[in-house]
Amino acid sequence: QVQLIDSGGGLVQAGGSLRLSCGAAGHTVSSYTMGWFRQAPGKERDVVAAINRSGRSTYYADSVEGRFTISRDQTKNRVYLEMNSLKPEDTAVYYCAASPKAVLTYYQYDYIYWGQGTQVTVSS
């Protein structure tokens, strides 16, 4: 069992930036494809971004392409989501997740470990 701990959420004004961080207690995330997902009130949880094991391949949802950047630091055993030019519609609970898939995937059913979520609120 891999326990993911995501953090870095908060309240920010539109146009601002936040960086989310995800780590694993007692485990390494380097052997997993990692993803960030979000769930806004009254909506289903959707993928935001994903990164493969090596960090050389990434995926972004159309709604965040060009504004968000997913990255991983193997030496620190962490995965990050840099969020810039935030919009009120980015308001959601953000979750990091880990998939044992060797290839990049953005399907939720491929992810078997999930963080507890961190709230991001963007005010207009």
Side-chain angles (χ1 to χ4, degrees):
Q1 185 77 8
V2 177
Q3 182 182 3
L4 298 177
I5 303 170
D6 37 34
S7 61
L11 173 64
V12 64
Q13 287 188 330
S17 299
L18 282 174
R19 187 176 80 157
L20 306 183
S21 177
C22 176
H27 291 86
T28 177
V29 297
S30 62
S31 58
Y32 294 91
T33 287
M34 300 295 294
W36 286 97
F37 297 79
R38 68 184 181 187
Q39 186 168 22
K43 295 187 177 181
E44 294 185 351
R45 188 167 59 190
D46 289 325
V47 65
V48 176
I51 188 167
N52 72 341
R53 294 177 181 177
S54 69
R56 286 192 282 267
S57 294
T58 57
Y59 166 84
Y60 295 96
D62 289 344
S63 58
V64 306
E65 178 81 56
R67 299 187 298 122
F68 291 11
T69 302
I70 188 170
S71 63
R72 61 193 311 159
D73 186 333
Q74 309 290 40
T75 63
K76 295 183 178 179
N77 196 35
R78 303 198 76 81
V79 177
Y80 302 100
L81 184 68
E82 185 76 34
M83 305 185 296
N84 298 313
S85 302
L86 283 162
K87 305 175 181 179
E89 51 263 44
D90 294 318
T91 295
V93 177
Y94 284 70
Y95 301 88
C96 72
S99 169
K101 288 283 187 179
V103 295
L104 185 65
T105 177
Y106 48 81
Y107 296 111
Q108 292 192 49
Y109 54 72
D110 285 333
Y111 289 80
I112 61 173
Y113 301 114
W114 293 82
Q116 80 284 0
T118 184
Q119 176 71 47
V120 172
T121 303
V122 185
S123 62
S124 57

